[in-house]
Amino acid sequence: QMSVSQQSGRGVPCLRCRGTCTGFEPHSWRKICKSCKCSQEDHSLSSDVEDDRKIGRLLSDSKYATLTARVKGGDGVRIYKRNRMIITNPIVSRKDPTFDTITYEWAPPGLTQKLAMQYMELIPKEMQPVAGTEGAYYRRRQLMRQLPLYDQDPSQCCGLVEGELKLMEDFVKKYKANALGVGEVALPGQGGGGGKEEGKPQDKSTAASKAPESTNGALEHTPTGGHYRCETCKQVVPGDCPVVYADRAGYSRQWHPACFICCRCSEALVDLIYFWKSGAVWCGRHYCESLRPRCAGCDEIIFSEDYQQAEGMAWHKKHFACLECETLLTGKPFILDNSSLLCTTCSKSKRL
């Protein structure tokens, strides 16, 4: 949930507007700023603690609960055991030895530092989550974008009406059991504890269930015997470079670190959290949207069978309203301007 300072909207300017927004002004139900109309993630409205609680909640009650820890005195609440990595390099050019310290706000768990650094070097520099850099901001933004709290916690939703709560609870329970996954980093051929114990320990039941698939090996995809290929780019994977495995896909498949992306939006899967469906990996946002429509007004998944549709988009009926004046537009003329829903009056005044 948002802190008091974030709810008041003061002191959190929009990173996209660069100075023109005076601070986040929360809308009553839209996930945007009333002041500048930009999204919550453009204001970077989360903290490490809030993110770790959100991911902890997502992974708890799933087979990835080992990546979470119980909060002391927290009534069973679990928090994400986010793996941070601190690299200290001596600077030898000076008379007195000093050290250059780099902190990665997230790194794949269960690896040697050498393999973790190899992994980091294989993703674009602007996406490397080094504290205080664009890469760290990119990661924070992707956590909000790909894994919105209101896609997993009904108490964070404003669009639910009576009777829809159970539908959402079942929806979340089902995706945790059947689709949610966390990628594992290992050298080719060593995913799932195969070969050297470089990766994190695997759930034995998972390894057993995947055994028949694994015996095919990735080699069936490859005319060049003995080589592994990336699922996304189909290029050969060097044997000494780390790859990403998705246990729900079986250990016969692997991805280059930069190729472990959502099949819908092609964005890198934040913290390797994926959803498996139709033989592909999805980010949380697009996986949920592949099963149910998302309201273009409040950005929440729609659990009602009665909703408004126009030009390939969907809205809760109560949210089918003008972005500027909030007039309900059901049965009235409207304009869709770059996905922004406007009444004809506000559309004309915007063009003037």
Side-chain angles (χ1 to χ4, degrees):
Q1 289 200 337
M2 282 189 262
S3 66
V4 174
S5 65
Q6 289 164 349
Q7 286 173 338
S8 68
R10 304 299 168 199
V12 191
C14 178
L15 295 166
R16 182 178 286 184
C17 294
R18 300 290 180 193
T20 57
C21 173
T22 54
F24 185 69
E25 294 265 11
H27 188 277
S28 58
W29 50 265
R30 297 183 193 273
K31 309 299 188 293
I32 61 169
C33 172
K34 279 204 293 189
S35 172
C36 67
K37 301 283 196 295
C38 288
S39 67
Q40 290 181 345
E41 58 258 36
D42 286 322
H43 291 77
S44 196
L45 280 179
S46 65
S47 68
D48 282 343
V49 172
E50 288 160 341
D51 287 340
D52 289 349
R53 283 181 175 274
K54 175 176 81 172
I55 302 306
R57 181 188 172 102
L58 178 66
L59 300 180
S60 63
D61 307 320
S62 80
K63 62 180 179 175
Y64 304 94
T66 51
L67 295 174
T68 68
R70 199 176 296 281
V71 178
K72 284 182 183 175
D75 294 331
V77 171
R78 301 190 74 91
I79 195 165
Y80 183 33
K81 287 193 296 188
R82 179 167 44 94
N83 186 44
R84 297 179 74 183
M85 181 168 66
I86 299 171
I87 307 292
T88 306
N89 299 313
I91 301 171
V92 291
S93 57
R94 298 180 186 169
K95 212 172 195 180
D96 300 318
T98 55
F99 295 92
D100 177 30
T101 301
I102 300 170
T103 301
Y104 289 87
E105 294 193 348
W106 172 86
L111 306 184
T112 61
Q113 192 174 89
K114 180 187 173 188
L115 198 56
M117 279 308 299
Q118 267 187 289
Y119 168 87
M120 287 299 174
E121 285 159 11
L122 289 169
I123 59 176
K125 192 162 181 64
E126 66 273 14
M127 295 181 187
Q128 295 174 14
V130 175
T133 68
E134 278 295 313
Y137 166 62
Y138 171 80
R139 173 183 172 270
R140 175 76 46 80
R141 196 177 190 282
Q142 291 301 88
L143 281 170
M144 292 188 77
R145 180 77 186 152
Q146 293 184 8
L147 303 166
L149 192 53
Y150 42 85
D151 276 11
Q152 54 155 308
D153 184 354
S155 72
Q156 299 297 310
C157 297
C158 64
L160 293 177
V161 297
E162 197 177 346
E164 293 174 7
L165 180 67
K166 180 74 167 62
L167 285 173
M168 181 171 182
E169 286 173 346
D170 290 345
F171 179 79
V172 173
K173 199 172 179 180
K174 200 169 177 181
Y175 75 54
K176 284 190 181 191
N178 301 328
L180 174 66
V182 181
E184 172 200 341
V185 176
L187 289 173
Q190 295 181 14
K196 295 175 188 173
E197 292 300 315
E198 190 70 76
K200 66 175 194 267
Q202 287 300 303
D203 177 350
K204 286 178 184 168
S205 64
T206 303
S209 69
K210 296 298 176 188
E213 194 170 353
S214 313
T215 53
N216 299 334
L219 310 182
E220 68 174 10
H221 303 298
T222 59
T224 52
H227 289 300
Y228 297 90
R229 288 188 184 274
C230 170
E231 279 293 304
T232 299
C233 71
K234 308 303 180 188
Q235 298 299 306
V236 171
V237 173
D240 59 352
C241 285
V243 292
V244 181
Y245 287 94
D247 65 339
R248 290 193 186 274
Y251 288 99
S252 62
R253 294 180 168 108
Q254 60 278 304
W255 288 259
H256 289 116
C259 290
F260 196 58
I261 57 176
C262 171
C263 67
R264 175 69 59 84
C265 63
S266 300
E267 288 284 343
L269 294 162
V270 66
D271 290 14
L272 302 179
I273 297 169
Y274 70 91
F275 290 72
W276 181 251
K277 182 192 171 199
S278 304
V281 289
W282 303 64
C283 71
R285 169 174 287 273
H286 290 116
Y287 170 80
C288 290
E289 287 177 17
S290 75
L291 300 176
R292 282 193 169 268
R294 186 181 295 280
C295 177
C298 71
D299 200 45
E300 294 170 16
I301 298 298
I302 299 173
F303 288 93
S304 167
E305 297 308 315
D306 185 24
Y307 58 91
Q308 188 73 39
Q309 288 179 285
E311 295 184 33
M313 299 168 75
W315 290 261
H316 290 106
K317 286 209 159 177
K318 62 184 176 182
H319 294 157
F320 191 64
C322 175
L323 181 65
E324 297 294 336
C325 70
E326 301 290 352
T327 301
L328 278 174
L329 295 172
T330 306
K332 296 178 182 176
F334 61 87
I335 306 292
L336 262 175
D337 180 17
N338 288 331
S339 299
S340 295
L341 184 64
L342 299 168
C343 68
T344 49
T345 306
C346 290
S347 174
K348 283 174 190 166
S349 62
K350 274 193 85 173
R351 287 200 296 267
L352 294 175

